[in-house]
Amino acid sequence: MKRRIDGGRLLDLTDGSLTEVSVLVDDASGRVLAIGTDLPEVDARIRLDGEVLLPGLIDVHVHLREPGFEDKETIATGTRAAAAGGFTQIACMPNTKPPIDTPEGVAYVRVRADEAGHCRVWPIACITEGQRGERLTDFAALKAAGAIALSDDGRGVQHGGLMLQALAEAAKAGLPLAIHAEDETLSGRGVFDRGAAERLGVPESPAEAESVMIARDLLLAERTGAHLHICHVSTESAVSLVRWAKARGVKVTAEVTPHHLLLSDDVIEEADPVYKVNPPLRSERDRLACLEGFLDGTLDMVATDHAPHTQDEKRRPLLDAPFGLVGIETVFPLLYTYLVGTGRMSLAELVKRMSTRPAQAFGLAGGVLRPGGPADLVAVDLEGERVIDPEQFYSKGRNTPFRGWRAAGFPTLTMYGGRVVHRIERGVPVGDR
């Protein structure tokens, strides 16, 4: 079916201008057929009310929890949540049960995602078998099955020699290696950064646990020529290390989460597991360094590290509760409101960091909206403001520290491959929930 989208304003990513145009898409080919005015009548029309049209957003760090933890999230609910957040492509981490460390595991995710049909899902497979940090997986076989990167996310590879071997093999396979940087001999059972840990009398997860592993892996990436992608950077020293490595020509990209851009550990007034995330919320100095690094391009892209848990799990005592929070449905409105709305960055630059740059870094189609390209797009309402209410999430997870925050820029239309996968009309969801 061919559809024409009327009444939207297309954002030009080169100069930030907005132009009212129509967009013609075809769900059979999954392509944009034309963008402009006076486009021909087609099978169906979608009428927007001045919303801004953007390329579909891309999140390279999502936890879908399936297989093994379907009480937290499923591929169907996680991808539905992604569509509600304006995402048309996501990459999912392999710390499931069992971990995604075989070609069969990669194929399972792809099949389940295709069945759900809410967005494209790119599996990230394990670096080591079972994420045990002992033996490497078969990188070439995992790539052939559809993995776009490798990671033991949730754990850092503790053995330096094995990490050197992994980076050398990743370079041969042509796969990025995405690291969860955490030296567990330093982090131990730490839960919060120093300030909150001392204030509340709980174990500290020091900034050095993250930064020393990043330093090690940057040097190993330089030696091997591998593409090192650093997940959820949270410390001032880590930002400095990435900046240093880029200046040396190391092939490195880095992501930052919305919570590390918007929150410091100053917000933690009690031992509340909703703030328990790994890496932890850091000091205000670290937060400002991450923000500066994001604004100047040292940190390439935003990734949510969307990590749903059940409400019972997050009600446990702090030391027993799991790490993680959800964010895929709120990231664009939050960053639009608190970065673009406050004049810290342009809308075009934010979109590039949430779409164009992730596509470039991981070799994905998309990231721009143009005739002949994928019909992956999102329309966002920059005027209407809403209060974030986790009870309205499509994700099974309710564990967000942004409950009650006000934000504008929520998606009203998400289209993937020319098909509508999320639609809000007059404030009411259209279709499933």
Side-chain angles (χ1 to χ4, degrees):
M1 176 184 290
K2 293 181 175 62
R3 292 185 176 86
R4 199 180 79 191
I5 305 167
D6 297 329
R9 293 177 293 158
L10 180 67
L11 176 69
D12 188 323
L13 295 180
T14 60
D15 62 11
S17 62
L18 295 171
T19 307
E20 184 167 337
V21 294
S22 295
V23 180
L24 194 61
V25 302
D26 177 22
D27 65 6
S29 64
R31 298 283 166 180
V32 175
L33 299 178
I35 298 175
T37 56
D38 298 324
L39 298 183
E41 291 293 333
V42 288
D43 307 317
R45 294 177 62 193
I46 297 172
R47 182 70 194 177
L48 299 178
D49 189 23
E51 293 100 314
V52 173
L53 286 165
L54 313 173
L57 305 179
I58 301 172
D59 189 344
V60 299
H61 191 152
V62 176
H63 296 272
L64 293 177
R65 303 303 194 197
E66 184 181 354
F69 300 108
E70 287 83 356
D71 53 336
K72 300 172 187 279
E73 192 81 287
T74 66
I75 290 172
T77 61
T79 53
R80 182 64 186 89
F87 291 90
T88 55
Q89 300 188 68
I90 62 174
C92 63
M93 286 297 177
N95 53 341
T96 51
K97 186 179 180 181
I100 301 169
D101 60 0
T102 64
E104 291 76 16
V106 172
Y108 173 84
V109 172
R110 298 188 70 187
V111 168
R112 295 288 288 162
D114 287 346
E115 290 172 351
H118 299 306
C119 67
R120 292 184 176 83
V121 175
W122 304 106
I124 294 178
C126 296
I127 299 171
T128 66
E129 294 176 357
Q131 294 189 295
R132 290 185 292 272
E134 297 169 354
R135 290 166 53 90
L136 299 183
T137 53
D138 186 339
F139 292 1
L142 292 168
K143 181 179 181 180
I148 63 159
L150 303 159
S151 180
D152 274 2
D153 189 50
R155 301 198 65 185
V157 175
Q158 303 299 303
H159 193 290
L162 186 66
M163 192 62 181
L164 175 61
Q165 184 184 350
L167 284 162
E169 292 298 321
K172 289 180 188 173
L175 284 171
L177 207 155
I179 62 163
H180 173 105
E182 180 182 356
D183 185 324
E184 295 171 3
T185 66
L186 295 172
S187 60
R189 283 179 53 79
V191 290
F192 289 154
D193 197 61
R194 179 180 300 175
E198 291 182 348
R199 201 162 57 244
L200 299 170
V202 299
E204 176 193 354
S205 181
E208 291 80 7
E210 175 179 336
S211 299
V212 297
M213 187 170 277
I214 290 175
R216 181 198 74 178
D217 290 351
L218 286 171
L219 293 171
L220 298 180
E222 183 174 40
R223 178 186 176 96
T224 58
H227 175 188
L228 183 73
H229 177 76
I230 301 174
C231 298
H232 41 51
V233 170
S234 74
T235 73
E236 183 276 334
S237 53
V239 175
S240 297
L241 286 164
V242 174
R243 189 176 288 126
W244 169 82
K246 286 190 170 184
R248 287 172 67 87
V250 179
K251 190 175 181 182
V252 57
T253 53
E255 66 186 44
V256 64
T257 71
H259 44 282
H260 288 115
L261 287 174
L262 299 179
L263 299 174
S264 71
D265 70 345
D266 291 344
V267 301
I268 306 174
E269 297 179 346
E270 57 185 23
D272 185 346
V274 77
Y275 296 110
K276 185 177 178 182
V277 64
N278 191 11
L281 300 178
R282 301 292 189 186
S283 69
E284 181 66 3
R285 176 182 175 184
D286 289 310
R287 186 189 74 83
L288 292 174
C290 287
L291 181 58
E292 180 183 355
F294 181 56
L295 296 176
D296 72 17
T298 301
L299 306 182
D300 302 84
M301 66 194 78
V302 173
T304 62
D305 191 10
H306 174 81
H309 294 289
T310 68
Q311 296 188 65
D312 284 345
E313 288 174 313
K314 277 295 193 180
R315 290 192 184 108
R316 293 175 185 167
L318 182 67
L319 296 185
D320 297 329
F323 290 96
L325 54 85
V326 295
I328 204 162
E329 294 178 62
T330 57
V331 53
F332 184 83
L334 282 169
L335 295 185
Y336 169 73
T337 302
Y338 295 98
L339 296 187
V340 178
T342 56
R344 292 181 177 274
M345 73 187 309
S346 69
L347 175 60
E349 192 61 34
L350 177 62
V351 173
K352 282 189 268 189
R353 305 302 191 85
M354 296 185 67
S355 184
T356 312
R357 187 71 186 112
Q360 293 170 339
F362 284 80
L364 306 176
V368 294
L369 195 55
R370 59 176 174 77
D376 291 4
L377 60 86
V378 57
V380 293
D381 176 10
L382 300 183
E383 308 302 326
E385 191 175 82
R386 279 171 37 192
V387 174
I388 292 174
D389 176 6
E391 301 310 315
Q392 297 298 313
F393 288 170
Y394 288 89
S395 169
K396 289 187 176 184
R398 301 287 182 268
N399 43 309
T400 173
F402 295 107
R403 178 192 294 267
W405 283 45
R406 300 189 70 87
F410 285 91
T412 62
L413 169 70
T414 305
M415 181 172 278
Y416 143 57
R419 295 183 297 110
V420 176
V421 290
H422 175 72
R423 182 79 172 108
I424 301 288
E425 291 183 359
R426 291 181 287 279
V428 178
V430 177
D432 70 300
R433 184 168 184 87

